[in-house]
Amino acid sequence: HWNPAAERIFGWKCEEVMGQQPPLVQTSERHQFFEVLHRTLLGEAIGERDARRLRKDGSEVDIRIWTAPLRTQEGTIRGMVVILVDITDRLRTEAALARESEAKNELLEAARTARVMPWSQLVEGGPIRLGDSALEVIGIKGGERTIRPALLHELLNPEDVRLFRRARKSAAQGQVSSFECRMRRPDGSWFSSRWTLGRRHGRFQGVIQDVDAFANLREQLFESQKLE
């Protein structure tokens, strides 16, 4: 049998393939194809496996295959049943998701290396969501975790809170603002940070960078250049 689904997937009409060598199987894979056919007709059910087949227009299609012997009520094998599923789009989606995940991981590693932490706040006064690099930058576990705004403000040098409020006011008016201030980590140590923040789609968002770490990296670079 060559049903309408097979016609849609591979492009050949039923009368073009019935009784012929299977045109969807590439010549280099026909030995394996007939081996599976032979094993199935001897009574073996062969589970899920993936293969690449040809369409009538010469393009390739990725499929997932199941085969099993077809038996009479008496148990005699009289043929075989084959299920083919077109997984081309699924594989493309999986590959795209893998690339997206890899790119995201690269960005996260870059943020950790540069000691940059993104943050966002949906509504003024609401919880603040921290990026994954929060632990490296301000010593607070990030990721999906959110914190109270007061906690983040407590980490600011009290003398610099006014800088934050001024930048936030500018952000509320549609401007992107930056300022530098001292911040305290939960362990009590202080570091210099650079804030950049703005407002988009009603959400305050920005980044905090540990500029002390940046200065240390720059100093290390200068020292290595001197050695060279």
Side-chain angles (χ1 to χ4, degrees), residues 16-175:
E16 294 180 283
V17 295
M18 296 302 292
Q20 307 296 322
Q21 288 283 348
L24 67 158
V25 182
Q26 300 187 57
T27 304
S28 60
E29 296 186 10
R30 285 193 175 176
H31 174 75
Q32 182 182 11
F33 173 84
F34 284 112
E35 179 185 354
V36 169
L37 211 124
H38 180 68
R39 287 165 53 192
T40 306
L41 291 175
L42 288 177
E44 181 180 354
I46 301 178
E48 178 182 302
R49 68 189 189 283
D50 293 349
R52 185 161 289 176
R53 296 291 185 250
L54 292 174
R55 293 190 178 99
K56 186 177 180 179
D57 62 8
S59 61
E60 294 181 327
V61 54
D62 292 296
I63 60 170
R64 189 153 289 164
I65 312 170
W66 292 262
T67 59
L70 191 61
R71 301 176 184 270
T72 63
Q73 290 184 347
E74 293 76 23
T76 304
I77 296 174
R78 65 178 183 88
M80 61 186 292
V81 60
V82 183
I83 299 174
L84 306 179
V85 178
D86 182 355
I87 60 170
T88 306
D89 289 341
R90 185 188 309 177
L91 293 181
R92 285 177 184 156
T93 301
E94 290 174 355
L97 289 174
R99 289 193 299 269
E100 182 179 340
S101 177
E102 183 180 357
K104 181 180 179 181
N105 289 335
E106 289 175 353
L107 289 175
L108 289 175
E109 286 303 315
R112 292 190 180 101
T113 300
R115 298 183 73 84
V116 174
M117 182 198 75
W119 63 271
S120 65
Q121 186 180 30
L122 183 58
V123 293
E124 188 169 357
I128 294 176
R129 183 185 178 194
L130 304 179
D132 289 329
S133 50
L135 183 63
E136 289 82 359
V137 178
I138 60 175
I140 295 178
K141 185 178 179 181
E144 296 299 321
R145 181 174 176 180
T146 57
I147 64 171
R148 295 177 294 104
L151 178 58
L152 192 59
H153 296 164
E154 289 170 3
L155 301 179
L156 290 172
N157 184 332
E159 298 177 359
D160 295 328
V161 172
R162 58 184 176 81
L163 298 175
F164 172 79
R165 289 174 177 166
R166 185 186 306 164
R168 189 181 184 87
K169 183 177 180 181
S170 297
Q173 297 172 352
Q175 302 174 17

Side-chain angles (χ1 to χ4, degrees), residues 170-203:
S170 297
Q173 297 172 352
Q175 302 174 17
V176 176
S177 300
S178 297
F179 67 94
E180 292 191 9
C181 67
R182 298 283 292 170
M183 293 187 71
R184 186 180 69 252
R185 294 188 179 91
D187 62 7
S189 62
W190 289 86
F191 70 101
S192 298
S193 67
R194 177 181 293 116
W195 289 59
T196 302
L197 67 152
R199 189 173 184 178
R200 187 178 183 187
H201 304 308
R203 174 179 301 185

